[in-house]
Amino acid sequence: MWEFATVRGHTVLGPGASVGFNCEVPNTYIGACTVLGHRIGINRTLLGDGVHLSADVTVTAIHLTRDMTRPTATPSCAFPTASTAAAPPGSAP
């Protein structure tokens, strides 16, 4: 924990997790060896092991349940695939 960091609510910090300067972390699960750089806002989120968020990141999630240690819904996550991801600006078609 670095100075001016706020961790509150039903937050769980895994072993070796680091919460950086001026971070706000309420009601979040942070996995082992996860690093939150500086000015990170994480709210009601599940972060796995070994995640590294550098700076100026805000992450929020919908309210799964009042007690995040006993979720009543299965969390899910979707990522873009090669067919659905937008081409980077300036790339050839």
Side-chain angles (χ1 to χ4, degrees):
M1 291 282 301
W2 292 85
E3 60 190 353
F4 304 110
T6 303
V7 176
R8 57 190 160 89
H10 294 276
T11 298
V12 175
L13 297 176
S18 175
V19 178
F21 172 83
N22 204 24
C23 291
E24 183 175 356
V25 185
N27 303 314
T28 298
Y29 173 85
I30 298 177
C33 300
T34 290
V35 175
L36 302 182
H38 58 281
R39 294 189 310 267
I40 306 289
I42 304 290
N43 185 15
R44 298 192 182 281
T45 303
L46 306 172
L47 292 177
D49 296 345
V51 174
H52 186 110
L53 299 177
S54 183
D56 295 324
V57 176
T58 301
V59 178
T60 61
I62 61 169
H63 188 86
L64 294 176
T65 180
R66 290 185 68 85
D67 184 356
M68 290 289 284
T69 62
R70 294 176 184 83
T72 57
T74 303
S76 64
C77 189
F79 297 97
T81 62
S83 63
T84 61
S91 65

